[in-house]
Amino acid sequence: MDYKKSAAEVIQHIGGKENIVSAAHCATRLRLVIADNGKVNKAELENVDGAKGVFEASGQLQIIFGTGIVNKVYDEFIAQAGIQAMSKDEVKAAAAQKGNPLQRFVKTLGDIFVPIIPAIVASGFLMGIMDSLTFMINNGFVNISTDSALFVLASMFSNTAYVFLPVLIGFSGAKVFGGNPFLGAIIGMIMVHPNLQNAWTMTGGVEQYLDVFGLWKVPFVGYQGHVISVIIAVFVMAQIEKFLHKRVPAMFDLFVTPLCSVFITGFLTMTVIGPVFNVVETHIIGGVQALISIPFGIGSLIMGALYAPTVITGIHHMYSIIDLGQIQQFGYTYWLPLASAANIAQGAAALAVALKTRDQKLKSMALPSSLSAFMGITEPAIFGVNVRFFRPFVCACIGGGVGAMFASITQLGASGTGVTGIFGILLCLGSPIKYILMFLIAAGVSFVLTWLFGYKDAAPAQKKEAAPHFEEPQEANGALDVLAPITGKAVTLQDTGDETFAAEVLGQGAAIEPEEGKVYAPFDATIATLMGHAVGLEGKNGVEMLIHIGVDTVKLEGKHYTPHCAEGDEVKAGDLLMEFDIPAIRAEGFPVVTPVIITNSYDYQEITNRAGQPVTAGDKLITVKK
């Protein structure tokens, strides 16, 4: 493929280089932050050579090109756009600045939890394995000693991430909020200190209270498994730390700032922040649990159907709070199976589109997107396929809701969070059959609905009107015929009524009174200049040409003109270079007579033209003789 041309088309269809805020790429996608999304033509972007899909997510316009292609398109893109290459993190930061307060809040939660997901997933998988082994041992299916070193250590390892979750959140949260991550980790350690009564192991209720200046008492209990209170505490610590860094003299900053930051935050956390937000978190989790516990799975049906729309808004990043909160309270998360059902359903809808469509480009996009969704990564399927055609997205929401309803009725729970789709079964090893049935129900309902009602191939596109036949003449006896780029009546440059053209200051040639608003390449060439109203060509045959559409039309600033090329493009004779709206230009008060000028006229001994005769694009218009 022509990477230069693809990059030029991307720039054109996103509203030009002036509409670009920043750009980066990952392994498969060109990631752009756009100043004005209203100027983006997604339909045309999807037709760019090599593009496999276009969608918006997290404030970024993402164009999928695929591995090995995107980096080459990106290199051409930044070269033509005249911008500096940026990292993915820098582009994410630029995108975040465009978001509203809710979007920035949700993004902050995502930035905190995404880095610690591998640790949570590792513990969750191991917990699921150990729960399954314990079940099989207790029911006589296997004979394994629970006193063996391997079993004892594996059991201890399995819940480590959850026991020390406040430490992980403290470290990650401090980085996000601009504080020292190690101080953030200390705040997390304070909240699960061994001197505190363990929230998971206490059986007789709170045994000890802390008297705060005789004003109030708070439970002297740890915050194992808690999330919101840790985030608030680390946020407060980061603000205190930054405040002190600005005001404490450098010679004292090293020990005064960490000491005060940790002590003040720790005291506030154990006496105010922790107790208050512990209650808040308990009510949030209780509310969610009440919703998804509505009889007959009605609440889960609703939430399973609404899960994918929240992915579009980015709100799903905050669901880790629900998962971790439920694990803390119940030992399992009943929310993750709902999310898994929703993700599986999106994959099934994309699969139905992939199998039903005859459009090879859509098929090549939908099939891998569906497999990605079955693995738990739904953005390509949602944005690249389902939302694009809308009805598959609705069908998938219904399928996700039905699958979630089944999960709720059967009380399917997961031992951890972070993984959905096919591998989500590893978090549900205590009830693998339930998970498989949920998977089949969500996928089956979504697939069947999409196949029957959700997608219909568009009618075959009508064959475009064939471009005029261009057969580029060869030079003979030092003379070369140049073809007309526009259909109309050939006239002289003096007939343009413009003194500059008439005096042949820019070169000799002819002009055309156009009958059709299309400009074609008169010979194989490179686009040397492209303005809103004019195209400059450097021909392989040695001819340099300026096609100036209309007189004084520079004042229109490109209005009523649609370019189909970009500077630097290599074009063939007969390629469509530009379209223009003849009635609209005339209505603005400008003549559309189009000078066709040989700008290197000094290279030729004689230049003649067919002025006074009608010409069709592709007919001989000018003859140059060396």
Side-chain angles (χ1 to χ4, degrees), residues 292-297 300 334 337-338 402-414 428 430-439 441:
I292 62 179
S293 299
I294 294 175
F296 309 110
S300 294
Y334 299 98
L338 274 65
V402 175
M405 181 172 66
F406 172 83
S408 179
I409 292 173
T410 58
Q411 295 185 329
L412 176 62
C428 301
S431 308
I433 302 301
K434 294 180 184 178
Y435 191 89
I436 293 171
L437 290 175
M438 178 275 293
F439 191 113
I441 290 170

Side-chain angles (χ1 to χ4, degrees), residues 156-504:
M156 182 181 73
F157 298 162
S158 66
N159 67 350
T160 301
Y162 296 98
V163 170
F164 297 103
L165 181 63
V167 180
L168 297 177
I169 295 175
F171 186 91
S172 182
K175 290 178 66 176
V176 171
F177 295 131
N180 185 316
F182 296 99
L183 299 184
I186 290 178
I187 298 301
M189 294 175 189
I190 289 172
M191 299 180 74
V192 290
H193 196 282
N195 287 356
L196 297 170
Q197 188 177 354
N198 192 310
W200 282 352
T201 60
M202 62 181 187
T203 56
V206 179
E207 298 174 358
Q208 186 177 358
Y209 286 85
L210 184 67
D211 189 299
V212 184
F213 305 128
L215 300 176
W216 69 91
K217 293 183 179 181
V218 294
F220 201 58
V221 178
Y223 292 86
Q224 288 83 1
H226 284 277
V227 175
I228 297 178
S229 53
V230 187
I231 294 174
I232 301 299
V234 174
F235 174 78
V236 171
M237 185 219 73
Q239 306 315 307
I240 294 173
E241 183 187 0
K242 288 186 284 187
F243 175 85
L244 293 175
H245 274 313
K246 293 178 181 179
R247 290 163 177 80
V248 175
M251 63 184 299
F252 302 114
D253 184 60
L254 180 61
F255 58 88
V256 170
T257 298
L259 172 63
C260 294
S261 298
V262 170
F263 183 80
I264 295 172
T265 304
F267 183 82
L268 291 174
T269 298
M270 299 308 298
T271 59
V272 180
I273 296 172
V276 170
F277 285 96
N278 186 17
V279 174
V280 172
E281 184 173 338
T282 300
H283 280 83
I284 291 174
I285 302 304
V288 171
Q289 188 63 24
L291 176 63
I292 62 179
S293 299
I294 294 175
F296 309 110
I298 302 301
S300 294
L301 171 68
I302 296 171
M303 295 312 303
L306 294 179
Y307 183 88
T310 66
V311 172
I312 295 177
T313 63
I315 294 175
H316 65 297
H317 288 300
M318 64 190 299
Y319 292 154
S320 295
I321 294 176
I322 298 175
D323 282 325
L324 297 172
Q326 288 199 329
I327 291 172
Q328 189 271 334
Q329 285 195 25
F330 311 118
Y332 290 93
T333 168
Y334 299 98
W335 182 266
L336 183 120
L338 274 65
S340 195
N343 291 346
I344 291 162
Q346 293 295 328
L351 179 62
V353 172
L355 297 180
K356 193 171 184 181
T357 184
R358 294 185 295 273
D359 185 329
Q360 292 304 310
K361 185 170 183 177
L362 176 58
K363 189 183 292 290
S364 67
M365 171 63 190
L367 187 57
S369 296
S370 70
L371 298 178
S372 172
F374 287 143
M375 299 296 180
I377 308 300
T378 57
E379 282 83 357
I382 290 177
F383 294 106
V385 181
N386 298 342
V387 169
R388 176 179 168 190
F389 298 104
F390 186 67
R391 286 188 294 175
F393 181 71
V394 174
C395 294
C397 288
I398 296 172
V402 175
M405 181 172 66
F406 172 83
S408 179
I409 292 173
T410 58
Q411 295 185 329
L412 176 62
S415 60
T417 185
V419 178
T420 60
I422 292 173
F423 293 111
I425 193 173
L426 297 176
L427 297 174
C428 301
L429 291 177
S431 308
I433 302 301
K434 294 180 184 178
Y435 191 89
I436 293 171
L437 290 175
M438 178 275 293
F439 191 113
L440 295 176
I441 290 170
V445 172
S446 176
F447 185 92
V448 171
L449 289 178
T450 304
W451 187 273
L452 295 177
F453 311 109
Y455 179 77
K456 182 179 180 181
D457 256 347
Q462 293 184 349
K463 190 174 181 180
K464 293 184 178 179
E465 180 183 348
H469 178 65
F470 280 75
E471 186 172 339
E472 191 172 358
Q474 301 296 315
E475 183 177 330
N477 299 322
L480 176 68
D481 291 321
V482 180
L483 307 181
I486 298 175
T487 296
K489 181 181 178 182
V491 296
T492 67
L493 291 177
Q494 287 72 27
D495 293 327
T496 62
D498 182 272
E499 294 181 2
T500 301
F501 295 134
E504 299 182 341

Side-chain angles (χ1 to χ4, degrees), residues 14 30 60 76 97 127-128 136 155 162 299 318 360 372 391 420 433 441 469 509 515 518 543 575 617:
I14 62 175
L30 185 63
Q60 300 175 37
E76 291 292 343
Q97 297 302 315
M127 286 175 67
M136 289 187 286
S155 297
Y162 296 98
M318 64 190 299
Q360 292 304 310
S372 172
R391 286 188 294 175
T420 60
I433 302 301
I441 290 170
H469 178 65
E515 296 176 357
K518 295 180 180 180
V543 176
D575 284 353

Side-chain angles (χ1 to χ4, degrees), residues 57 86 88-89 100 123-124 132 149 241-242 246 319 379 381 388 423 444 464 478 487 490 516 536 564 570-571 618-619:
M86 301 181 73
K88 288 187 292 181
D89 289 340
N100 58 43
S123 280
S132 299
E241 183 187 0
K242 288 186 284 187
K246 293 178 181 179
Y319 292 154
E379 282 83 357
R388 176 179 168 190
F423 293 111
K464 293 184 178 179
T487 296
E516 181 184 45
H564 292 279
E570 302 287 334
V571 295
D619 290 350

